[in-house]
Structures are given as C-alpha cells and as structure tokens.
C-alpha cells in the first residue's frame, strides 16, 4: 500500500493504492469515485430479435443467419452474449445466466457477473428482457412458394430405377444441401421430390446444385446425364431467367441383375454396369466384361435378380466340373456346373433358374 501524494479531483480524498494507474483523468480518481462512475458490465435495456418461424434462422438486418439453436432460449443466450460489454480493465470475469420464459415471445435473462476492477472484487446482477418476433426468411419463403431453378430427372435406360437407386439419389441431394448449408450457403435447398412414372423428379433451388447432384449420381450409380435450358421469364432488369433440367439416364443393367448377353455362353450375374458391364458367367464362373459403346449397353435378355435365387441341397460332388443339387421346384436331383470356389463340405447352395437351366450363384 502506498500513498501517491495525489488527491481525488472529485471527492478530495487522498488516493491510496497498491499499484500505479495510467496518468489519465479517470486514472486520477480514487477507487470509490471510479467504481461509482463505471459499471463492470454494460447491457442494453431490452433486446429484440426476429426469428424465422420455419427454420429458426435469425435476422441480422441485412441477412438471415443459421445459428443452430435448439430453441428460442438458446437464441436469447447467444444474443445477450453478443450485446454485453465488459469493462476493458476488468479481469477474472465469470458470469452465469438464468433464462425465465415469461410468455411465448418474451424471455427474461437474469445475468450475474463477477470480476475484479481496480483490484476490487465486484459483482453485478442485471435483467434484460428479450423480445422474439417471428417472420419468414427469404429462403423459407421461396421454399413455400415452390421456387426452383433446376430439376434432376432420374430415369433408367429400358427400365425404371430401383427403389435403392431412387433412395440413394434422394440421399445425395439432401447430403449436398446439408454440406452447402454448413458452409453458410442459404440459397441451396430441395424444393420438391416427386415419384413419377419412370423414375424420380427433384426440384432444386439452383442450377449449380442440380449439376452437382446429377454428377454424383452418375459417378456412383453409372449412366450419364445431359442438360437443357428452358426460358421461364425475365427479371426487372430485362434479363432472361432459365430453368435447367438435368436428365440422368442410368444404365440398362443394374448390379445384382442376371442377364443373358445372347452370345451362347450363358447368363451373367451383373456386378457393375457403369462405363463397362462387368460380371460373372454363371455357367463357368469366369469373369465377364464388355464396354458400353457410345454409352449404350450390349443387348441382352433380362432373366431376373440375385434375390430370385433359391436355397437348395447340395447332394453330391461329381467331379471338379459338376455337382448334383436338388431342384427346388421338382425335387429331382440334377447335375449343374460346379463353381471353382465351391466348398464341397457345404450342405446347401443358392441356385437360379435361367432359360430352363439351374446355375449355382457365386457367394456375395
């Protein structure tokens, strides 16, 4: 403790303190006068916020911001945190807040602070009402109005997309929207998804999003896509506005499908059908591969799906090329081609009937 030899210009008391303070007008005040003049915390008398009633985004004046709050109390806490001002010279600050829900649009925030200012421990309590107004953000308004700029049409060549393919396409669309939202893009959204004859239509907020979806779908599921523009209207400045349709065409064959290529060598279990069709010959269990010419798959006859196979009894092993199985329909013993990897101590195998012949399917 030291005496500075100075006197407070406000109350006239001699200034006694442990450490020297900056030689400024406020610094020359005694501690009592200084602490009467300045608060540890400065807060507004009231906070008003506008929240989108649909998505919970907060209106920041010139833009809507997704803050990921679970409810309005979380939003109120975030807002009061931003609105509080702590004295610049304060240290050892700690605080806690107790929200009080007064009514659906008002939350009283009871805040208690503690800290040290001029080596003096201080505590302050204050209550700030937060008024919440509801509105509809631009993004949700566009969604509600059915606004869209791009369309992804999912179709198959000479077939309809499977349920798995349609589900995966929907998943890709929603995942891409989530990724863009996480990066702060509020313009990306799925407007509508419709099951239509022959496939799926997805309406999207932007053409860029439509292209991203079409590209990822064809990368994962195969096939190709094309795009074409349609003039919709003009904006206030006379600029032409277009919608872009991305037509995705999945390949005619799908993994798990059993096809007869018509080359006399027997059916093929399709394992991949993107730029090249790959699979396994059921007669010899040798690999099968043929490229798509100009994006067109080779002609063939669809015989069924792997799911159509039936489990039956492995009766006996004839030699390295053939085994006997029980026909699941006639219950007769029949000789069929033996897969090279077949374990002879097995009791059952899966067989598929194609063109009147039984084939043992390779293990998945």
């Amino acid at each position: 403790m030291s005496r500075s030899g100075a006197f407070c210009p406000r109350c006239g008391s001699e200034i006694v303190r442990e450490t020297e303070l900056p030689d400024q007008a406020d610094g020359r005040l005694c501690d009592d006068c200084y602490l009467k003049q300045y608060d540890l915390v400065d807060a507004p008398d009231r906070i008003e916020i506008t929240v989108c009633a649909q998505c919970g985004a907060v209106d920041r004046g010139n833009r809507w911001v997704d803050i990921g709050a679970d409810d309005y109390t979380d939003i109120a806490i975030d807002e009061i945190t931003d609105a509080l001002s702590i004295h610049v010279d304060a240290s050892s600050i700690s605080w806690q807040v107790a929200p009080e829900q007064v009514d659906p649009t008002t939350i009283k925030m009871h805040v208690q602070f503690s800290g040290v200012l001029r080596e003096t421990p201080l505590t302050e309590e204050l209550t700030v009402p937060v008024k919440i107004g509801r509105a509809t953000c631009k993004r949700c308004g566009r969604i509600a109005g059915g606004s869209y700029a791009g369309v992804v049409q999912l179709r198959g060549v000479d077939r309809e997309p499977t349920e798995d393919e349609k589900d995966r396409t929907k998943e890709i669309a929603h995942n891409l929207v989530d990724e863009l939202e996480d990066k702060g893009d509020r313009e990306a959204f799925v407007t509508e998804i419709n099951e239509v004859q022959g496939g799926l239509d997805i309406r999207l907020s932007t053409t860029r999003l439509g292209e991203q979806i079409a590209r990822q779908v064809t990368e994962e599921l195969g096939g190709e896509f094309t795009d074409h523009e349609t003039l919709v209207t003009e904006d206030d400045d006379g600029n032409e506005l277009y919608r872009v349709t991305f037509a995705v065409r999945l390949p005619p064959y799908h993994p798990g499908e059993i096809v007869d290529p018509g080359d006399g060598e027997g059916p093929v279990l399709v394992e991949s059908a993107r730029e090249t069709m790959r699979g396994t010959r059921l007669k010899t269990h040798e690999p099968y591969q043929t490229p798509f010419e100009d994006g067109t798959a080779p002609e063939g006859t669809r015989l069924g799906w792997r799911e159509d196979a039936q489990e039956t009894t492995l009766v006996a092993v004839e030699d390295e090329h053939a085994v006997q199985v029980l026909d699941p329909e006639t219950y007769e013993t029949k000789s069929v081609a033996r897969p090279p990897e077949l374990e002879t101590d097995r009791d059952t195998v899966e067989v598929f009937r194609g063109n009147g012949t039984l084939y043992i399917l390779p293990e998945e």
Side-chain angles (χ1 to χ4, degrees), residues 131-143:
K131 295 293 292 184
I132 298 172
R134 294 185 179 88
T136 300
C137 70
K138 180 180 178 181
R139 179 177 186 268
C140 290
R142 291 179 61 198
I143 294 174

Side-chain angles (χ1 to χ4, degrees), residues 88-346:
V88 66
D89 294 326
S91 62
S92 303
I93 294 294
S94 63
W95 66 291
Q96 58 185 3
V97 59
E100 177 190 354
Q101 188 83 45
V102 178
D103 56 48
T105 62
T106 305
I107 301 175
K108 283 186 177 180
M109 308 300 287
H110 303 283
V111 189
Q112 183 180 65
F113 283 86
S114 63
V116 177
L117 185 59
R118 282 210 173 185
E119 302 174 353
T120 303
L122 300 174
T123 60
E124 286 190 23
E125 294 183 4
L126 50 90
T127 299
V128 180
V130 178
K131 295 293 292 184
I132 298 172
R134 294 185 179 88
T136 300
C137 70
K138 180 180 178 181
R139 179 177 186 268
C140 290
R142 291 179 61 198
I143 294 174
S147 172
Y148 67 99
V151 181
V152 172
Q153 295 180 336
L154 183 71
R155 304 291 188 272
V157 176
D158 298 329
R159 68 177 179 91
E160 289 195 9
T162 65
E163 290 302 317
D164 287 344
E165 289 171 328
K166 289 188 286 188
D167 289 344
R168 180 54 186 153
T169 300
K170 296 175 189 177
E171 186 178 22
I172 288 172
H174 290 303
N175 287 346
L176 284 172
V177 168
D178 290 343
E179 290 175 10
L180 292 171
E181 285 182 348
D182 290 342
K183 295 176 182 178
D185 185 353
R186 302 197 81 250
E187 298 303 313
F189 56 83
V190 175
T191 302
E192 190 176 29
I193 298 179
N194 293 313
E195 298 267 357
V196 298
Q197 184 175 3
L200 191 71
D201 285 355
I202 304 178
R203 294 182 176 181
L204 305 152
S205 59
T206 67
T207 57
R208 177 173 174 266
L209 178 58
E211 182 177 2
Q212 288 178 301
I213 294 170
R215 194 172 303 281
Q216 186 169 337
V217 168
T218 53
E219 286 176 356
E220 287 193 22
L221 304 180
E224 57 186 4
F225 72 90
T226 58
D227 62 81
H228 64 274
E229 295 181 333
T230 302
L231 178 63
V232 179
T233 185
E234 293 183 353
D235 62 17
D236 295 337
D237 297 326
N239 299 314
E240 295 180 335
L241 299 179
Y242 292 85
R243 285 191 182 129
V244 180
T245 299
F246 299 90
V248 177
R249 295 291 182 265
L250 300 179
Y253 306 123
H254 182 269
E257 193 169 8
I258 299 173
V259 178
D260 185 350
D263 55 8
E265 298 298 325
V268 172
L269 173 62
V270 179
E271 295 162 357
S272 175
R274 296 177 60 181
E275 296 179 357
T276 299
M277 190 173 90
R278 294 181 175 86
T280 300
R281 288 279 191 186
L282 296 186
K283 185 176 181 180
T284 62
H285 284 248
E286 294 177 351
Y288 172 87
Q289 178 175 312
T290 184
F292 291 175
E293 297 181 3
D294 299 325
T296 303
E299 294 184 2
T301 303
R302 289 183 169 84
L303 302 179
W305 297 86
R306 183 182 189 108
E307 289 75 13
D308 298 330
Q310 296 175 281
E311 189 176 53
T312 190
T313 302
L314 177 62
V315 178
V317 177
E318 294 184 1
D319 53 37
E320 61 181 1
H321 301 295
V323 295
Q324 293 181 358
V325 299
L326 193 66
D327 188 320
E329 294 182 4
T330 66
Y331 300 103
E332 297 175 346
T333 300
K334 291 190 176 179
S335 179
V336 300
R338 174 185 172 180
E341 74 281 1
L342 181 65
E343 297 176 0
T344 57
D345 60 349
R346 294 180 55 178

Side-chain angles (χ1 to χ4, degrees), residues 15-120:
I15 297 176
V16 180
R17 58 172 63 97
E18 294 181 358
T19 59
E20 291 301 319
L21 295 173
D23 187 19
Q24 299 174 353
D26 290 342
R28 291 196 296 269
L29 293 175
C30 69
D31 291 346
D32 287 343
C33 290
Y34 186 90
L35 296 175
K36 288 177 182 177
Q37 178 171 330
Y38 294 102
D39 294 324
L40 176 65
V41 180
D42 185 28
D45 295 331
R46 169 191 176 106
I47 295 176
E48 295 185 0
I49 57 178
T50 302
V51 178
C52 177
Q54 278 68 46
C55 69
V58 176
D59 185 4
R60 297 297 193 191
N62 60 346
R63 63 193 179 103
W64 290 85
V65 179
D66 293 307
I67 64 174
D70 293 330
D71 56 32
Y72 291 156
T73 301
D74 291 342
I75 295 174
I77 292 174
D78 288 340
E79 292 296 313
I80 197 170
T81 300
D82 292 339
L84 294 172
S85 297
I86 310 297
H87 194 292
V88 66
D89 294 326
S91 62
S92 303
I93 294 294
S94 63
W95 66 291
Q96 58 185 3
V97 59
E100 177 190 354
Q101 188 83 45
V102 178
D103 56 48
T105 62
T106 305
I107 301 175
K108 283 186 177 180
M109 308 300 287
H110 303 283
V111 189
Q112 183 180 65
F113 283 86
S114 63
V116 177
L117 185 59
R118 282 210 173 185
E119 302 174 353
T120 303

